[in-house]
Amino acid sequence: MSSNELRFQAICQVTERKSLPPKVPNRLEDLWATDVFTLSKMQACLPKDVFRSLKKTLQTGGELDISVAGIVAAAMKDWAISKGALYYAHVFYPMTNITAEKHDGFISVQSDGTALTEFTGKVLVQGEPDGSSFPNGGIRSTFEARGYTAWDVTSPAYVMETDNGVTLCIPTVFISWSGEALDKKTPLLRSNAAMSKAATRLLKLLGHTDIATVNSSCGAEQEYFLVDSHFANSRPDLLLTGRTLFGHPAAKGQQFDDHYFGAIPERVQVFMQDVEEKMYRLGIPAKTRHNEVAPGQFEIAPFFEAANVASDHQQLTMTILRNTAKKHGFVCLLHEKPFAGINGSGKHVNWSVGNATQGNLLDPGDTPHSNLQFLLFCGAVIRGVHKYGPLMRAVVATASNDHRLGANEAPPAIISVYLGSQLEDVFEQIKKGDVQSSRTAGLMNLGVDTLPVFPKDPGDRNRTSPFAFTGNRFEFRAVGSNQSVSGPLVAMNTILTDSITWIADHLESELGQGKSLDAAAYAVLKEVMEKHSAVVFGGDGYSSEWHRIAVEERGLLNLPTTADALPMLKDKGIEELFVRTGVLSAKELESRFETYAEQYIQVIEMEAKLVMSLTKTLIYPAAMRHLSEMSGAIANMKAIGLSAETTCLEHVATLTTSLMEAVSKLSSGLDSHDFATTEDHMQHCAKVLRPMMDQVRVYADSIEDEIADDLWPMPKYQEMLFIK
Ligand code: ADP
Ligand code: MG
């Protein structure tokens, strides 16, 4: 079948597609965490002392008593087998954004030839997948292929049921033979522990004596697109790269705002309910769902959880979204910019820190100006983001997220902090050295008696800020939809650790000079604001004025592409930050730069190759067919003495020539290989290849808009986005 026939067939198939019948929803009580080996299940089946020991590790972050592992393993195996599992898998999170798993059977064959199931403490605690194919950024040579996985007790084991069977999944860290982190979980756990230690020290200085382990929390809002699989399957670019490399924008985009928060299409709602049921069974607290801004775009967000668990759950959510979509005849696109001209997808990472004894340490209460504890933690965040803004930018730097950041739909590539008017005012007062009051917002009266009068929020929202305070947490909005949330969480925990330590040091010294706690704290905060208030910005982050002020007057960095941002990981100050806090060694940090840089280069080069091949094999032939058909018709008309309009034809001919010239430039761009450093190679991708690809696209999209519809070989934007 030719490509244009494939396109028409897809349109017919999609038009006739029916949604799967909605399931009768189960009661939440019957679904919730049924597939998780929860604490209460462990309590029911483990000996009391074993359970107590495990629970202590969970609650205090203390060391795991390895002698209990065998007993836990046996109980875990029995539970998993009762759920139908014959296999178990250590699940880990390599430096790609994927989730990796290696499956092993519970089977153990005895000397007499009989087989029984076995799962020892040793295999629960440690696995040894051949890690040589995972990125390691130069930490290991291929001959040192060994990698270990080690059980992360703090994230519960679960069974994953798919059409292919049931597997017991055990969240693990993934480390090299020599003990270096090769994954995204190890640094997250380390950053959390470092943050807890630093926060505990500060809480002690503030006079607390009963201080539980401090943990970071995360609630990630996941945006995604759904496209019918018949369409996606006829678009090699969507299948291979997750985004459309070509496509003339449809006349209707998102300008009418008629999709955002609109009624969820029936087929999509059935899909969402299926996703949510799976999430509930896995103990993932799905909480909100709605249509997003762009046509075909949706969002799902869970209730927030402890960062490490939230991060594992986020990975699972992405897997569930992708797999469930297939069942419903969709392809779920998690790419940050699947379609040009309409909004892309992000993943807002909501983050706070707190514990069981002092609560949420980022909760300002009603009178933030007198809430010293809050001010110190919030001040610490401000300092951290100012000092390590380039790190915050680097952890959201990917080839795909570059399409979104700074494109007037997502925050700019300049990292600033939005506090809201009330807090901004409080911190301004602190900087001036005279703190009097917190502005109150008052009540909102809607002027209709039957409507309730409700308190206004003391600060509005600001969609244009990359990092915004939203009442009792910060929301990191620059994170990409396809990313693991771990990198951003590690960065936030680590800069907070550093800043709290700085604040605690200075507080101690002020107290040592005989100041009262209040006076000492305000003095330290004043210094923080004097040095770091340049990062606080409440205006329009999209405006060109802000881009100028940020860079010229405030000294903030604008790092528009990954090629500019990622090398910041090599900055001495950032290296020292990670080494000092114990979150990453210099070698581990370096390996991250190498790995992510390589991924960036690979993505762009792969896309460039596909741009060339799709142009040569699909778009150019379609244009030539159009030209040949039309010029034939025009010649015939002229032969019988009719005048014929030739402007359109000439236009397509010119576009086609330009298209092929652009492809040949791209081809020579791809042939350059002479780069002294990885940084140079990245710059080449950003500054040479990307613009060349864009140029090819400009001609191709214009051709799409000119030539006979029945010749066009790929589903068009209007079809993919509007035929449901
Ligand atoms: P919005 O779109 O208004 O930002 P959503 O309800 O879509 O709000 O998402 C907000 C996310 O923030 C949810 O995942 C929510 O559970 C999470 N969240 C709420 N409070 C906190 C907190 N203290 N710490 C971390 N995350 C939080
Ligand atoms: Mg939000």
Side-chain angles (χ1 to χ4, degrees):
M1 199 183 305
S2 66
S3 332
N4 42 350
E5 283 169 330
L6 208 60
R7 173 178 155 225
F8 292 119
Q9 188 182 315
I11 296 175
C12 296
Q13 284 167 326
V14 176
T15 314
E16 279 160 24
R17 170 104 72 186
K18 301 256 175 330
S19 54
L20 292 182
K23 285 190 206 156
V24 180
N26 282 304
R27 282 162 17 115
L28 183 61
E29 297 83 334
D30 298 335
L31 290 174
W32 182 247
T34 47
D35 292 351
V36 185
F37 195 50
T38 54
L39 215 52
S40 56
K41 285 184 191 119
M42 288 195 249
Q43 184 166 25
C45 65
L46 290 174
K48 271 206 176 66
D49 52 331
V50 173
F51 178 72
R52 222 177 293 127
S53 158
L54 205 65
K55 196 171 161 198
K56 188 161 165 252
T57 302
L58 287 176
Q59 285 176 343
T60 61
E63 208 169 308
L64 172 72
D65 174 3
I66 221 69
S67 67
V68 307
I71 303 162
V72 178
M76 202 185 267
K77 183 199 78 177
D78 289 345
W79 171 76
I81 289 178
S82 79
K83 302 288 292 179
L86 278 180
Y87 276 72
Y88 68 92
H90 273 198
V91 173
F92 56 102
Y93 311 92
M95 283 188 261
T96 52
N97 283 323
I98 64 148
T99 306
E101 44 193 66
K102 178 175 175 248
H103 294 212
D104 280 291
F106 288 126
I107 187 168
S108 167
V109 180
Q110 307 301 293
S111 51
D112 63 0
T114 54
L116 39 91
T117 59
E118 188 180 69
F119 188 53
T120 61
K122 187 168 176 295
V123 293
L124 165 63
V125 170
Q126 187 179 323
E128 197 184 318
D130 176 357
S132 55
S133 298
F134 291 107
N136 63 73
I139 281 185
R140 300 165 306 162
S141 330
T142 342
F143 62 88
E144 305 170 315
R146 253 180 197 189
Y148 294 114
T149 51
W151 180 32
D152 169 19
V153 204
T154 59
S155 185
Y158 55 91
V159 290
M160 191 61 164
E161 194 180 334
T162 67
D163 292 344
N164 310 324
V166 186
T167 309
L168 168 67
C169 294
I170 301 150
T172 60
V173 296
F174 179 46
I175 49 177
S176 75
W177 176 72
S178 44
E180 272 113 2
L182 293 173
D183 68 343
K184 300 224 173 214
K185 186 189 264 289
T186 309
L188 179 53
L189 292 171
R190 288 184 191 152
S191 72
N192 210 52
M195 187 275 297
S196 177
K197 200 166 149 217
T200 304
R201 178 176 163 218
L202 181 55
L203 289 171
K204 268 193 195 139
L205 283 175
L206 293 174
H208 294 289
T209 46
D210 183 17
I211 305 168
T213 313
V214 183
N215 207 341
S216 50
S217 297
C218 162
E221 303 161 52
Q222 174 76 54
E223 293 179 338
Y224 60 94
F225 278 85
L226 289 176
V227 172
D228 193 284
S229 57
H230 291 304
F231 286 139
N233 291 337
S234 350
R235 297 255 347 185
D237 49 356
L238 271 189
L239 286 185
L240 262 63
T241 70
R243 74 176 179 113
T244 53
L245 296 171
F246 299 101
H248 192 273
K252 181 176 172 184
Q254 60 194 39
Q255 67 269 49
F256 299 109
D257 285 330
D258 52 355
H259 179 69
Y260 191 43
F261 279 49
I264 298 171
E266 184 192 332
R267 220 180 121 200
V268 176
Q269 183 151 352
V270 178
F271 155 80
M272 286 176 166
Q273 282 160 0
D274 206 359
V275 166
E276 287 148 7
E277 178 175 320
K278 292 198 170 82
M279 289 172 71
Y280 288 152
R281 284 174 51 180
L282 289 165
I284 310 173
K287 177 96 174 110
T288 59
R289 55 156 111 114
H290 58 81
N291 289 1
E292 257 303 324
V293 174
Q297 191 187 27
F298 306 92
E299 177 179 305
I300 183 166
F303 195 75
F304 68 99
E305 301 177 277
N308 175 42
V309 175
S311 174
D312 289 0
H313 280 173
Q314 225 292 306
Q315 292 294 117
L316 268 173
T317 302
M318 291 197 281
T319 307
I320 293 170
L321 282 169
R322 283 200 200 94
N323 293 346
T324 312
K326 276 188 213 148
K327 252 180 63 191
H328 291 256
F330 289 119
V331 168
C332 176
L333 302 172
L334 295 174
H335 192 284
E336 283 78 0
K337 192 77 181 175
F339 302 98
I342 52 174
N343 274 15
S345 301
K347 177 142 59 197
H348 294 177
V349 175
N350 293 269
W351 164 83
S352 64
V353 294
N355 66 6
T357 40
Q358 278 71 44
N360 179 354
L361 300 170
L362 289 172
D363 188 347
D366 292 333
T367 51
H369 70 285
S370 61
N371 183 346
L372 267 192
Q373 184 174 299
F374 163 75
L375 289 175
L376 288 169
F377 277 89
C378 189
V381 176
I382 295 170
R383 175 186 178 273
V385 179
H386 185 237
K387 213 164 172 249
Y388 301 107
L391 169 66
M392 301 287 284
R393 172 65 185 93
V395 296
V396 297
T398 62
S400 46
N401 207 20
D402 278 0
H403 293 286
R404 190 179 146 257
L405 294 182
N408 269 4
E409 58 170 85
I414 305 165
I415 302 291
S416 63
V417 180
Y418 175 80
L419 290 176
S421 50
Q422 184 194 43
L423 272 189
E424 200 174 320
D425 176 60
V426 168
F427 277 101
E428 242 344 275
Q429 294 178 45
I430 290 174
K431 193 173 156 193
K432 291 201 184 98
D434 183 22
V435 190
Q436 295 290 346
S437 62
S438 299
R439 272 190 211 162
T440 53
L443 296 175
M444 189 161 337
N445 190 333
L446 300 176
V448 177
D449 289 344
T450 52
L451 293 178
V453 171
F454 55 83
K456 278 189 197 163
D457 272 315
D460 189 14
R461 297 282 185 114
N462 183 326
R463 283 169 55 90
T464 69
S465 174
F467 196 75
F469 186 72
T470 51
N472 60 0
R473 60 189 185 268
F474 280 93
E475 184 172 352
F476 193 6
R477 300 216 182 92
V479 184
S481 51
N482 207 8
Q483 268 194 274
S484 151
V485 295
S486 167
L489 289 169
V490 167
M492 292 187 279
N493 285 341
T494 307
I495 62 176
L496 182 63
T497 304
D498 177 72
S499 282
I500 303 174
T501 306
W502 185 92
I503 286 180
D505 288 347
H506 285 70
L507 203 56
E508 262 174 5
S509 114
E510 297 279 346
L511 290 170
Q513 292 164 24
K515 279 196 183 148
S516 72
L517 183 60
D518 269 31
Y522 283 118
V524 174
L525 279 167
K526 185 169 187 296
E527 190 178 340
V528 167
M529 290 317 287
E530 277 163 359
K531 287 187 180 150
H532 302 289
S533 66
V535 79
V536 178
F537 177 63
D540 178 3
Y542 293 172
S543 69
S544 50
E545 185 57 5
W546 167 238
H547 282 70
R548 190 190 63 73
I549 293 176
V551 176
E552 289 173 19
E553 293 174 17
R554 302 225 191 163
L556 305 179
L557 287 183
N558 183 8
L559 302 165
T561 73
T562 297
D564 307 304
L566 218 44
M568 291 294 150
L569 293 183
K570 291 183 137 182
D571 177 83
K572 260 280 155 265
I574 289 177
E575 183 188 307
E576 280 163 18
L577 165 77
F578 279 114
V579 173
R580 193 167 59 236
T581 49
V583 174
L584 289 171
S585 69
K587 196 170 164 191
E588 287 170 332
L589 182 63
E590 163 84 22
S591 80
R592 271 152 182 81
F593 166 74
E594 290 297 337
T595 302
Y596 301 147
E598 191 183 330
Q599 281 164 9
Y600 174 74
I601 292 166
Q602 280 171 348
V603 167
I604 293 188
E605 293 190 343
M606 185 230 344
E607 288 186 347
K609 282 181 194 149
L610 195 57
V611 162
M612 286 176 34
S613 87
L614 291 182
T615 306
K616 289 194 276 194
T617 60
L618 289 179
I619 298 169
Y620 177 67
M624 291 308 280
R625 273 185 206 134
H626 175 87
L627 287 172
S628 132
E629 257 185 44
M630 296 297 149
S631 53
I634 288 170
N636 290 344
M637 284 167 80
K638 285 192 175 151
I640 56 169
L642 293 171
S643 69
E645 154 66 42
T646 56
T647 352
C648 284
L649 187 70
E650 280 155 22
H651 185 40
V652 174
T654 319
L655 286 171
T656 309
T657 310
S658 308
L659 174 78
M660 295 319 281
E661 279 167 12
V663 164
S664 107
K665 276 199 192 135
L666 179 58
S667 169
S668 49
L670 259 174
D671 283 342
S672 337
H673 285 301
D674 213 7
F675 306 109
T677 61
T678 310
E679 284 90 328
D680 289 348
H681 198 168
M682 291 174 84
Q683 285 294 338
H684 177 74
C685 289
K687 308 277 154 62
V688 179
L689 292 185
R690 270 261 155 99
M692 284 175 166
M693 291 161 62
D694 290 345
Q695 192 56 59
V696 175
R697 178 174 187 154
V698 168
Y699 296 126
D701 290 358
S702 304
I703 292 174
E704 179 187 331
D705 201 33
E706 293 282 337
I707 74 169
D709 183 70
D710 62 327
L711 293 176
W712 192 251
M714 291 183 283
K716 295 186 168 184
Y717 270 29
Q718 66 216 35
E719 293 151 6
M720 289 188 284
L721 293 169
F722 292 101
I723 303 181
K724 296 264 156 56

